[in-house]
Amino acid sequence: METKLLSQSLADVEADALAVLLFEDQAAPPELSSAAAWLDELKTSGEFSGKGGELAILHQPAGLKAKRLVVVGGGKRDKADSATLRRATGSAVRCLKQKGVKRLAWSLSSGADAAAAVEGAILGNYEPDRYKPSTDAKPLESFFVVAPPDAASSVERGRILGECQNFTRDLVNEPANRLTPMILADRARAMAAESGLECEVLEQDRMRQLGMGSLLGVAQGSAEPPALIIVRYKPATATTSADHLALIGKGVTFDTGGVSIKPADGMEKMKYDMAGGAAVLGAIRAIAQLKPAIPVTAFVPAVENMVGSRAQRPGDIVTALSGKTIEVLNTDAEGRLILVDAITYAKRLGCTHMVDAATLTGAIVVALGTINIGAFTNNDAMLARVMTAAKAEGEKMWHMPLDDEYKELLKSAFADLGNIGGRSGGAISAAWFLREFVDDTPWVHLDIAGTAWLDDAKPYMAKGPSGVGVRTFVKLATDWS
Ligand code: BES
Ligand code: ZN
Ligand code: ZN
């Protein structure tokens, strides 16, 4: 979809529809005074009062070149923020594309976040229909933001962020037969080449030489070889600061659970167990275009967690890259096993700050549902940076505890650590497991198991991958100072 800034009067905008956001109790803007009677009628009849989610369409509006005038409810004005706008454009796009609208113009009120408007439109226009092209909802072809010329850079940022979130969603949506670890590595290479980024893929032999026994233990049950995907962004202008940000994403292309096998019911969803990896790849794709001043490296340990005669067994003891030994008490707690070798490697490459995103535990879904990401840290200042970025970008996050007492849960009789901590506090013991390998490097762990996948479509977004994490990562990097 093309996105464009139009700096002209609303009357002159040519489009299939011209939409405007109206809050509760808000009158028609002066430029649309010709539609005031229509709006009054909508309000007195109760058809449209400006509540969030409402939408009304007027065909052949007098005095406008656009074929339709659309009013979209924004709810209460004092509660409105960028997220309101993002959802409003998304919902409008999803509704109007079903009605055959191809070119949608959006009249932005002054001071509104153009990036959020464009993002919402791009996210709403996305359908996970690669293998079943939808016949009823053809995508929008153009989205025009009607705003003064100074909105140009914000429109561009919104385009980049929207497209990169959809890049992530495309990866997550691929079934595991079509997205093996090697194919994910190929996709990362292609993306890096297009984006002017460096990409390096560590293959099995190299990982064996290095001693990544924890990651390789998970991979050994699959006929599909593993990969550690590394994508580097280096700022063109030399920075004085020595900071180097690592974005680390869990890349389990399918999680059967291994020998500690998962129930059959719902297992098909486990193709999204690489959503963290896809998010860091989408983020660095955006970072390449937005060019922040800090070097950023994305790490995606990619494996398939399978059952079979070569699979690791409960009770197996592996040695991680850091030298620590791990008793694999449950082969379904595989995400942490692959992440820790990536974490150790990121430290060796000189990364000074780390954020990881992982569909790590069912326990975080129990704790926070599908609304908030669980955020864990060993460094409150680092968490504050991530939380500030998340808040600005409308990605909800909740600070979860990581007290020393929880560390006890990971004790093993036979190795330095066990890979599970029992049923209670499952998301916390998983985070502690990672922390054992992070040591003192400022780090934030994001458990996105509840937020990376929508079980049902939202008015503003299709069912399936949400692309969560991308916006926070990009904001973190572009606001770094
Ligand atoms: N990929 C799962 C976590 C998950 C569960 C993601 C539900 C999305 C939805 C992870 O590898 C896993 O299986 N974790 C186990 C850990 C347990 C064995 C300690 C879990 O959460 O049950
Ligand atoms: Zn698992
Ligand atoms: Zn998993």
Side-chain angles (χ1 to χ4, degrees):
M1 182 179 64
E2 163 206 32
T3 52
K4 208 155 119 187
L5 175 63
L6 298 181
S7 300
Q8 57 185 177
S9 79
L10 292 185
D12 291 334
V13 170
E14 288 184 47
D16 298 324
L18 169 66
V20 58
L21 187 73
L22 283 186
F23 299 112
E24 289 173 37
D25 310 316
Q26 187 184 356
E31 276 198 90
L32 296 174
S33 55
S34 60
W38 171 63
L39 266 175
D40 283 346
E41 192 54 39
L42 281 177
K43 287 198 173 159
T44 43
S45 68
E47 270 172 68
F48 182 92
S49 59
K51 283 205 184 75
E54 286 180 344
L55 185 144
I57 303 172
L58 175 67
H59 284 260
Q60 298 183 329
L64 299 182
K65 285 192 182 155
K67 290 185 192 153
R68 300 172 184 83
L69 176 63
V70 180
V71 286
V72 181
K76 297 221 182 322
R77 188 199 287 266
D78 54 350
K79 290 232 174 83
D81 55 12
S82 297
T84 312
L85 183 57
R86 190 182 290 108
R87 287 182 183 182
T89 57
S91 307
V93 166
R94 291 181 64 71
C95 171
L96 294 170
K97 71 179 174 183
Q98 280 178 340
K99 301 187 189 294
V101 168
K102 295 273 172 267
R103 297 174 311 149
L104 172 63
W106 191 275
S107 165
L108 207 67
S109 62
S110 72
D113 183 351
V118 173
E119 252 177 57
I122 294 175
L123 295 173
N125 205 29
Y126 176 87
E127 294 293 337
D129 60 358
R130 183 156 187 187
Y131 302 107
K132 191 191 177 191
S134 44
T135 42
D136 47 340
K138 292 267 184 291
L140 225 67
E141 285 163 10
S142 312
F143 183 75
F144 307 125
V145 175
V146 189
D150 61 3
S153 66
S154 185
V155 168
E156 175 65 358
R157 186 185 168 94
R159 179 190 66 78
I160 293 168
L161 275 162
E163 288 177 1
C164 289
Q165 285 169 85
N166 286 350
F167 170 85
T168 293
R169 292 163 83 193
D170 262 335
L171 288 176
V172 176
N173 198 49
E174 285 289 10
N177 62 328
R178 294 172 187 267
L179 194 95
T180 61
M182 277 302 157
I183 298 175
L184 182 60
D186 290 343
R187 296 274 196 107
R189 271 198 207 96
M191 178 276 288
E194 277 170 20
S195 309
L197 298 166
E198 277 172 36
C199 179
E200 184 187 356
V201 177
L202 304 191
E203 298 192 2
Q204 191 153 8
D205 289 347
R206 180 77 188 118
M207 290 192 270
R208 210 172 273 137
Q209 280 173 354
L210 287 164
M212 297 185 170
S214 187
L215 187 159
L216 291 171
V218 177
Q220 78 187 29
S222 175
E224 295 296 339
L228 177 56
I229 304 163
I230 302 167
V231 183
R232 290 190 181 83
Y233 162 77
K234 289 185 185 133
T237 46
T239 41
T240 43
S241 138
D243 292 354
H244 181 170
L245 180 62
L247 304 177
I248 305 174
K250 172 175 172 181
V252 175
T253 58
F254 196 78
D255 184 9
T256 64
V259 171
S260 315
I261 198 164
K262 286 182 181 297
D265 201 26
M267 204 202 273
E268 71 283 353
K269 207 173 131 180
M270 279 301 130
K271 68 176 185 178
Y272 93 112
D273 214 15
M274 35 61 75
V280 308
L281 292 174
I284 205 154
R285 184 177 189 266
I287 285 167
Q289 297 173 67
L290 292 167
K291 305 195 191 319
I294 183 177
V296 182
T297 306
F299 297 85
V300 183
V303 305
E304 189 180 52
N305 189 24
M306 293 296 276
V307 212
S309 64
R310 307 282 293 272
Q312 70 180 346
R313 297 135 291 241
D316 282 5
I317 294 176
V318 295
T319 305
L321 178 61
S322 75
K324 283 198 165 101
T325 56
I326 302 163
E327 186 180 12
V328 180
L329 295 164
N330 188 313
T331 63
D332 196 11
E334 84 298 339
R336 59 199 82 181
L337 293 172
I338 65 169
L339 285 165
V340 295
D341 279 346
I343 286 168
T344 305
Y345 199 65
K347 287 176 51 149
R348 290 201 185 162
L349 290 192
C351 294
T352 59
H353 297 75
M354 302 197 271
V355 190
D356 77 76
T359 47
L360 202 63
T361 66
I364 204 68
V365 192
V366 175
L368 299 177
T370 57
I371 308 300
N372 274 280
I373 296 170
F376 302 79
T377 192
N378 62 353
N379 183 302
D380 286 337
M382 180 67 183
L383 180 68
R385 285 179 178 225
V386 174
M387 290 277 216
T388 304
K391 196 159 175 41
E393 293 291 340
E395 292 193 322
K396 294 193 183 213
M397 239 170 232
W398 196 257
H399 182 188
M400 298 288 291
L402 209 48
D403 305 79
D404 285 343
E405 290 89 330
Y406 292 108
K407 188 161 63 166
E408 308 296 312
L409 296 169
L410 294 169
K411 278 200 172 133
S412 155
F414 308 112
D416 293 331
L417 289 168
N419 78 326
I420 56 168
R423 271 182 59 79
S424 54
I428 304 173
S429 51
W432 246 115
F433 186 88
L434 303 180
R435 184 173 174 176
E436 289 280 3
F437 296 80
V438 169
D439 282 329
D440 294 331
T441 305
W443 155 82
V444 172
H445 157 57
L446 303 178
D447 195 332
I448 58 170
T451 45
W453 185 271
L454 306 179
D455 282 325
D456 300 298
K458 302 268 188 201
Y460 51 89
M461 220 191 227
K463 173 187 168 117
S466 67
V468 77
V470 174
R471 295 206 298 269
T472 296
F473 286 149
V474 175
K475 184 75 173 161
L476 180 68
T478 54
D479 279 6
W480 197 272
S481 57

